Amino acid sequence: MSTEESAGAGLDPSEQLRLFEAEAGGVADREAWEALRLRWIGRKQGVVRSLLGRLRELPPEERRDFGQGVNRLKEKVEARLVELDEELEAAERRRDRAEARVDVTLPGRRPHLGGIHPVNLVNRRIVEIFTGLGYSVAEGPEAEDDFHNFEALNFPPDHPARDTQDTFFLEDGRLLRTHTSPVQIRTMLARKPPIRVICPGRVYRHDNDLRHSPMFHQVEGLAVGEGITFGHLKGTLEAFIHELFTEDTGVRLRPSYFPFTEPSAEVDITCPFCGGDGCRVCSKTGWMEILGAGMVDPRVLRMCGIDPAVYSGFAFGLGIDRVAMIRYGIPNIRMLFENDERLLSQVRG
Amino acid sequence: MIFSLEWLRRYVPVEASVEELAARLTAAGLAVEGLQSRGEDTLLDVDVTTNRPDCMNHHGLARELSVLFDLPLASLDVSLEETGERAADLAEVEVEDPVDCPRYVARIVRGVKVGPSPEWLVERLESVGLRSINNVVDASNFVLWEMGQPTHAFDLERLAGAKVVVRRARPGERLVTLDGEARVLDPEALVIGDGEGVVGLAGVMGGLETEVTSATSDILIESAHFDPRVVRETANRLGMHTDASHRFERGADPGAAGTGADRVAKLIVELAGGSVLAGAIDVVNEKLDWGLAGRLDLARLDRFAGARYSDVAVERWLTGLGFGLEAAGPGVWTATVPTWRHYDFLPDPARPLESSQGPVFEADLFEEAMRIRGFDDIAADLPAISGPEAGSSAGHLRREEIRRHLAACGYMEAVSFAFHDRESEARRPALARVGDPLTLANPLSELYTVMRRSLLPGLESAVSFNQRRGAVAIRLFEIGHVFPGGDHPEVEAVAIVGGGSRGMPWDRRTPYDLFDLKGVVESLAEHFGAPFEVRPADLPGLVPGTGSELFTTGGRKLGHLGRLASDESPVPLFAAELSAELLTGTGVASVRVPSRHPGVEADLTLTHSNDVHWSEIERAVEERRSEYLVSFGLKDRYRGEGVPAGAVNTTVFFRYNAADRSLTQEEVNERHQALTRQLEGRFGWSEN
């Protein structure tokens, strides 16, 4: 509709209103609404504005009625525009909701999380358990000397017990620690009892086959004080194993031999795969060896300047890698160090 | 080690089922790892620990059974009928080294008829995996597996001068051992010589020249005690391991040389005839005292074990094991250690014999009672250890924080071997290099010869492992020790490597470049309150123009980052390595309370030369920082249409806010325009 046509409707406000109503009936979107608004109540060119501009052209006695008529027109236009606006918004909402329909079974977009290595997840759990029991963490170097790795642990020079340790030697005469026990020695040399520490870390053995990795991880624990008993060792290990595995895991200690403990024990747990009934993993025995432990050998205490007549202590050590393999069902220790993201990304908890 | 149940039953009348027997032995520290039927017999595979050489023979293991099942133990018959002829008149023994050979016993048997062994003996030896050789050699082997004493039979006629000398090898001396190997001897080796040369390696193996053959008639039986260390050194140096050396290395019974010689002589006469000459030639180092004793206090045992022990049981157990117990008060004994346990009871050097404790550690005696009773009925208890904790967990906690942070940033933790080859070692920058890398004296292979000084080569192996298996995006990190070399302490390092776009189009694929990696490093440092400064640097192994070194505010080198120069990776790889120990800063920071009044934001786009570094602009803003500027940063960079060649558009965002009131647009405009003029004037692009 052109300006000429509306102008043709003359100055009669009711005529104009009819015209407006007709135009308003055709508004279907925002653009048309805005055009309608500008055409009728726009500040510069709007119909209402130009009608008011014509007021002076009328004889004075008609001006009042005309003015009132234009005002009514303006009010009606404005009211209708608001109405139209609401209708448009409602229509938009309807359209938006109609378009919001999706296939809710499509996959969600995952945040790209990384992960912590299974060995270190287990390590963290073990440290948590022992810090809860009042232990703190002690650490030391991986390149060690003979004294801390062997001699102070009651491995005399050239003793056959050293054969079991499959040591990597460095050309400078040192070696790669074969266990984290040197950290126990460093702790005992540096501090007076009472002592309670756990020593997690990487260790090395000259061994590389399907079941062995030349590098693996251990956590060892040490408690030294007055009146520490073998029963305390049992109680501590049971509490630990029940936390790490399950409350109903059976724990068995068998006498064994390590140079640094006296008496020494191998610690078995009921096989986590069969619950002790016997399966392929535990070679039908129902038990799985996971820990070595014992009362700290008096020679070791003596070597560290602690009087074995006054103090006693216990120590234990376990391979973290094995626990990680059991916990996450990883069949081969070497898979732990291939760093295959397809495997690592499945590990959690 | 294999044991025959039938053989064991010759010394102890044990009737228990083989399963129970196995369970009891295992519970006492002699783990039975396998059972196997062999005809009427059952073979037990027992894991005898290195401290129990006394149980590496049937009589010794039978002793354990006799205590465990409370049964009598038969003693070995060593009674001999001797002829009038004196052994000492026919042969001579000389020991040059009475410390390494504290005792040498020789017996002579004349007129033997060397031949095959009877069926029962062949059977016995085969049951433990030995092959029968002849009746004389078999007698010696039988005694070793019966009572643990290694012995050797020489053909007396072949011993030059009918003489035995225990001495060190002379330079260049050789010996062809029984296994037919010609061996060049080290002057350190302890050997058995005759009047001319070497006829045996002490405690390891005899020589071929003097071996007993079918032609032999007179034999000299050697039954000696050798120091464990000297036997081990000789065996190791020659790469030998024999039944004899196995026992001597672990400590044979220093009291058994005499009975061993008698037992072998008796058997030889039974099997091969002949007669035993009167007397043994017995050279003993009288200065060595094998007697060890210690105080065993029942109350202290209870306190050590955390269980109650009965004096009757303890006395029975220890006596059965061969300890001499002499009461020294109620529940207190002086316990004498049997010679066959000597090396397991090495004395406390800090306490003299006269001391009331005795020289033996009480824990060693406690162990005997504890293992015989077993550990099962010791009640579990938790210790109450008073006093402060004995260490600091700070390093562990920091490491865990790093792990958590990097995992949350989307990186997967890798764990690599700490050794690699020399070429890998030198390929990438390192936090510290001091001289040569630490080198393994006995590497597993050429791939693992030196200790790492950087975590990057290990991570790169993980990268290529994953890329070969189809990984498109790489996001890995590792925390571990690096070894700078020499005596330099190990450094804990964190390395991060990333590259490649991640995600499918549906996931809104995100590209990756150096600044993605740098952002991770920045957020990690910020987490620890450890700001760092970046200095561009050309580093080996990094693409020129991408490398930088990072320094702490204290000027210490925190690490480096850049793009790896790699011909292998299909996508550009970016990497950083930091010293974990330097990720310490202000730690916990107090918060700044945000203003409750609305702030005003304003941008500024600056066209400037490519040569102007962002860090210069940043510093310029910092220098002119007005009171109400709460933050600013890089909004965008643009090069291309509308930007002159050699220049770049940098858009910076600014946020203004006041703590106590709303700022007016005019106030902000005034400050912002002043800053804009400053920056334009200093950095703005001009064509000339």
Side-chain angles (χ1 to χ4, degrees):
Chain A
M1 195 174 293
S2 71
T3 317
E4 283 73 37
E5 277 175 272
S6 70
L11 295 176
D12 181 3
S14 15
E15 191 69 11
Q16 292 290 348
L17 186 59
R18 271 193 302 280
L19 256 174
F20 169 78
E21 293 291 355
E23 283 179 33
V27 168
D29 58 29
R30 269 290 144 200
E31 218 178 324
W33 181 88
E34 183 61 15
L36 185 70
R37 186 185 70 79
L38 281 175
R39 209 174 91 70
W40 287 92
I41 53 171
R43 279 186 172 206
K44 288 179 181 160
Q45 311 271 313
V47 174
V48 170
R49 184 84 187 177
S50 58
L51 283 178
L52 286 174
R54 308 278 290 274
L55 199 64
R56 272 174 287 122
E57 297 170 14
L58 293 176
E61 65 278 10
E62 287 178 26
R63 288 184 187 170
R64 193 163 164 264
D65 281 354
F66 181 76
Q68 285 172 346
V70 172
N71 273 336
R72 268 196 307 277
L73 171 68
K74 187 181 175 225
E75 279 162 20
K76 292 212 162 146
V77 165
E78 282 174 345
R80 181 75 179 116
L81 278 170
V82 168
E83 211 177 280
L84 272 176
D85 178 52
E86 281 166 5
E87 280 170 23
L88 280 173
E89 263 185 30
E92 274 162 26
R93 272 198 300 276
R94 276 195 303 277
R95 212 165 29 245
D96 182 54
R97 302 227 168 125
E99 282 168 10
R101 185 169 285 278
V102 290
D103 175 0
V104 296
T105 66
L106 283 169
R109 288 188 190 99
R110 309 277 186 93
H112 294 297
L113 298 178
I116 294 175
H117 194 274
V119 164
N120 290 323
L121 280 178
V122 170
N123 182 47
R124 177 202 284 181
R125 181 77 196 105
I126 293 171
V127 171
E128 271 172 9
I129 294 170
F130 279 103
T131 47
L133 289 170
Y135 289 67
S136 57
V137 178
E139 297 175 340
E142 293 170 20
E144 263 293 1
D145 54 32
D146 186 89
F147 175 78
H148 289 94
N149 194 76
F150 286 128
E151 209 179 321
L153 287 156
N154 193 33
F155 285 88
D158 291 317
H159 193 270
R162 291 191 176 201
D163 290 351
T164 62
Q165 298 281 313
D166 299 318
T167 312
F168 277 112
F169 294 99
L170 294 170
E171 282 189 343
D172 66 7
R174 288 183 296 163
L175 45 82
L176 298 182
R177 65 180 180 192
T178 58
H179 39 201
T180 58
S181 313
V183 182
Q184 299 188 25
I185 298 299
R186 290 177 180 277
T187 303
M188 285 192 280
L189 285 170
R191 292 166 191 276
K192 296 264 160 287
I195 290 169
R196 50 185 191 279
V197 290
I198 42 165
C199 317
R202 289 185 191 183
V203 299
Y204 303 85
R205 300 268 173 103
H206 198 277
D207 214 347
N208 195 22
D209 57 39
L210 283 176
R211 298 192 51 213
H212 298 91
S213 163
M215 183 195 81
F216 56 101
H217 300 76
Q218 275 192 341
V219 171
E220 294 193 0
L222 171 74
V224 181
E226 284 184 62
I228 297 286
T229 71
F230 192 86
H232 291 148
L233 168 63
K234 267 185 91 168
T236 301
L237 291 179
E238 282 182 11
F240 162 61
I241 286 166
H242 291 161
E243 279 283 329
L244 185 63
F245 294 96
T246 56
E247 196 60 42
D248 56 0
T249 303
V251 181
R252 179 176 81 173
L253 277 73
R254 284 182 287 117
S256 186
Y257 171 70
F258 308 113
F260 35 88
T261 46
E262 184 86 335
S264 305
E266 299 273 12
V267 182
D268 302 330
I269 58 168
T270 44
C271 174
F273 296 97
C274 61
D277 297 335
C279 66
R280 197 182 48 83
V281 183
C282 59
S283 316
K284 308 253 181 247
T285 61
W287 294 94
M288 193 174 272
E289 184 184 314
I290 66 153
L291 246 145
M295 300 298 285
V296 181
D297 194 286
R299 295 161 189 84
V300 174
L301 292 175
R302 181 73 88 213
M303 205 90 73
C304 296
I306 295 171
D307 186 351
V310 179
Y311 296 102
S312 53
F314 61 74
F316 54 85
L318 86 159
I320 305 175
D321 316 76
R322 268 235 21 254
V323 178
M325 288 163 67
I326 294 169
R327 196 175 170 99
Y328 303 112
I330 298 170
N332 182 325
I333 188 167
R334 285 142 53 113
M335 285 183 185
L336 285 173
F337 309 120
E338 286 171 349
N339 301 312
D340 189 335
E341 283 195 274
R342 297 169 304 174
L343 184 136
L344 296 177
S345 60
Q346 300 174 59
V347 170
R348 60 184 176 272
Chain B
M1 189 164 281
I2 301 294
F3 292 85
S4 148
L5 183 56
E6 267 187 27
W7 195 343
L8 289 167
R9 284 191 175 134
R10 278 175 57 122
Y11 315 116
V12 60
V14 61
E15 295 298 335
S17 73
V18 75
E19 288 75 21
E20 190 191 349
L21 194 137
R24 294 291 294 275
L25 280 174
T26 300
L30 292 149
V32 178
E33 295 186 327
L35 294 170
Q36 197 193 319
S37 297
R38 185 173 192 274
E40 299 287 290
D41 197 4
T42 303
L43 301 182
L44 290 82
D45 186 359
V46 184
D47 178 18
V48 184
T49 50
T50 54
N51 63 321
R52 297 301 304 276
D54 64 298
C55 280
M56 294 173 182
N57 62 79
H58 284 76
H59 194 254
L61 194 66
R63 184 185 297 115
E64 296 282 317
L65 288 172
S66 78
V67 174
L68 289 171
F69 290 92
D70 196 11
L71 294 166
L73 175 73
S75 51
L76 300 176
D77 183 0
V78 289
S79 59
L80 288 176
E81 274 180 40
E82 297 177 338
T83 62
E85 196 177 5
R86 284 172 45 84
D89 294 339
L90 205 71
E92 188 189 338
V93 173
E94 191 184 326
V95 175
E96 287 185 4
D97 195 332
V99 172
D100 287 338
C101 177
R103 190 169 181 197
Y104 194 104
V105 178
R107 277 264 180 203
I108 292 171
V109 184
R110 296 198 76 170
V112 299
K113 195 167 160 43
V114 178
S117 289
E119 197 54 38
W120 71 264
L121 180 55
V122 174
E123 185 60 24
R124 282 272 177 269
L125 294 177
E126 281 181 356
S127 70
V128 296
L130 291 182
R131 194 168 49 86
S132 170
I133 293 166
N134 60 47
N135 46 14
V136 172
V137 173
D138 288 357
S140 169
N141 283 336
F142 177 85
V143 168
L144 183 142
W145 280 87
E146 179 184 55
M147 60 172 284
Q149 173 64 22
T151 57
H152 183 70
F154 292 102
D155 184 335
L156 183 58
E157 282 171 40
R158 296 196 185 204
L159 284 177
K163 186 178 179 183
V164 164
V165 189
V166 184
R167 60 171 173 83
R168 297 285 162 184
R170 300 193 185 102
E173 267 188 324
R174 291 160 172 275
L175 172 69
V176 178
T177 40
L178 277 173
D179 53 10
E181 293 278 322
R183 302 179 187 273
V184 179
L185 305 176
D186 199 277
E188 291 296 305
L190 190 70
V191 299
I192 312 300
D194 62 3
E196 290 169 0
V198 182
V199 295
L201 294 169
V204 184
M205 194 181 273
L208 193 63
E209 188 68 18
T210 50
E211 80 167 333
V212 172
T213 66
S214 53
T216 303
S217 161
D218 299 347
I219 56 178
L220 181 142
I221 300 161
E222 164 192 299
S223 178
H225 187 68
F226 299 110
D227 181 76
R229 246 177 108 165
V230 76
V231 172
R232 181 171 159 81
E233 274 168 13
T234 305
N236 276 358
R237 211 173 290 124
L238 295 169
M240 298 174 77
H241 183 262
T242 61
D243 279 350
S245 72
H246 190 79
R247 284 157 183 80
F248 279 126
E249 285 178 23
R250 283 154 184 77
D253 177 358
T259 44
D262 293 353
R263 185 75 181 146
V264 174
K266 182 179 175 67
L267 261 176
I268 287 175
V269 173
E270 275 173 28
L271 301 168
S275 51
V276 183
L277 268 53
I281 308 172
D282 193 348
V283 181
V284 191
N285 180 351
E286 301 285 359
K287 283 188 206 136
L288 294 183
D289 178 9
W290 303 102
L292 293 174
R295 188 180 149 95
L296 174 57
D297 182 334
L298 202 62
R300 284 183 63 86
L301 166 60
D302 289 353
R303 195 168 123 85
F304 182 81
R308 293 194 66 81
Y309 285 78
S310 109
D311 54 352
V312 177
V314 168
E315 206 164 46
R316 181 173 72 71
W317 296 334
L318 269 85
T319 308
L321 290 171
F323 289 82
L325 287 194
E326 193 184 313
V332 182
W333 301 272
T334 299
T336 310
V337 179
T339 52
W340 55 85
R341 299 297 302 275
H342 182 83
Y343 291 99
D344 196 22
F345 280 76
L346 289 182
D348 182 350
R351 288 184 186 274
L353 257 170
E354 300 78 52
S355 143
S356 65
Q357 290 288 127
V360 163
F361 282 107
E362 60 181 355
D364 290 355
L365 295 167
F366 294 163
E367 185 198 17
E368 295 305 307
M370 289 169 70
R371 71 177 182 84
I372 294 296
R373 170 161 143 182
F375 294 157
D376 284 350
D377 62 352
I378 295 178
D381 190 12
L382 280 177
I385 309 176
S386 60
E389 290 186 16
S392 153
S393 306
H396 169 79
L397 295 176
R398 181 184 56 220
R399 198 174 307 117
E400 288 298 317
E401 282 292 307
I402 295 172
R403 284 194 177 112
R404 246 185 272 265
H405 190 92
L406 292 177
C409 287
Y411 290 74
M412 187 68 72
E413 186 182 20
V415 173
S416 322
F417 288 170
F419 23 62
H420 42 221
D421 61 309
R422 250 168 214 285
E423 188 277 321
S424 296
E425 195 288 306
R427 196 166 66 220
R428 301 297 179 203
L431 293 174
R433 281 198 166 92
V434 181
D436 277 336
L438 291 186
T439 305
L440 289 167
N442 56 337
L444 274 175
S445 82
E446 287 302 307
L447 293 175
Y448 307 122
T449 49
V450 295
M451 300 308 289
R452 64 184 174 189
R453 298 204 259 201
S454 163
L455 301 179
L456 294 177
L459 272 184
E460 285 177 80
S461 302
V463 168
S464 54
F465 181 95
N466 282 293
Q467 286 180 334
R468 283 198 303 274
R469 283 156 186 79
V472 179
I474 296 297
R475 307 283 186 273
L476 290 171
F477 76 97
E478 180 164 3
I479 307 175
H481 284 203
V482 291
F483 304 78
D487 291 336
H488 195 286
E490 290 161 31
V491 175
E492 183 163 67
V494 190
I496 312 166
V497 61
S501 298
R502 182 141 77 172
M504 297 291 156
W506 168 253
D507 297 319
R508 303 202 182 102
R509 201 178 180 83
T510 46
Y512 190 95
D513 70 18
L514 183 69
F515 300 100
D516 291 287
L517 178 79
K518 192 184 173 202
V520 171
V521 173
E522 285 169 350
S523 77
L524 183 66
E526 190 174 282
H527 181 81
F528 286 96
F532 61 85
E533 189 197 331
V534 177
R535 298 185 197 157
D538 274 331
L539 299 171
L542 299 184
V543 174
T546 70
S548 59
E549 288 187 309
L550 317 179
F551 291 88
T552 66
T553 44
R556 298 182 65 188
K557 200 171 124 189
L558 173 67
H560 40 262
L561 78 92
R563 177 176 162 184
L564 296 176
S566 165
D567 300 333
E568 272 183 43
S569 174
V571 295
L573 291 176
F574 305 92
E577 187 165 31
L578 312 171
S579 158
E581 283 137 33
L582 293 183
L583 284 176
T584 48
T586 49
V588 178
S590 324
V591 298
R592 271 199 317 260
V593 177
S595 171
R596 296 188 173 275
H597 301 276
V600 177
E601 302 207 358
D603 284 357
L604 155 66
T605 296
L606 196 59
T607 303
H608 62 81
S609 158
N610 274 334
D611 297 336
V612 174
H613 284 177
W614 162 254
S615 58
E616 298 173 57
I617 299 171
E618 207 178 15
R619 211 174 309 127
V621 175
E622 284 291 356
E623 281 164 10
R624 306 282 309 175
R625 187 164 198 149
S626 68
E627 185 186 355
Y628 300 121
L629 179 59
V630 286
S631 66
F632 73 96
L634 180 64
K635 185 164 184 174
D636 206 0
R637 295 266 284 188
Y638 176 73
R639 244 185 229 125
E641 213 188 308
V643 181
V648 60
N649 276 4
T650 297
T651 305
V652 191
F653 70 84
F654 297 87
R655 289 198 189 105
Y656 295 91
N657 209 341
D660 52 351
R661 63 194 172 86
S662 301
L663 293 176
T664 64
Q665 191 66 47
E666 287 68 31
E667 277 178 295
V668 171
N669 285 350
E670 193 187 317
R671 287 178 167 80
H672 188 62
Q673 280 156 15
L675 185 61
T676 305
R677 278 194 301 276
Q678 278 284 334
L679 297 177
E680 293 278 10
R682 189 158 158 200
F683 302 113
W685 174 260
S686 59
E687 284 298 341
N688 32 15

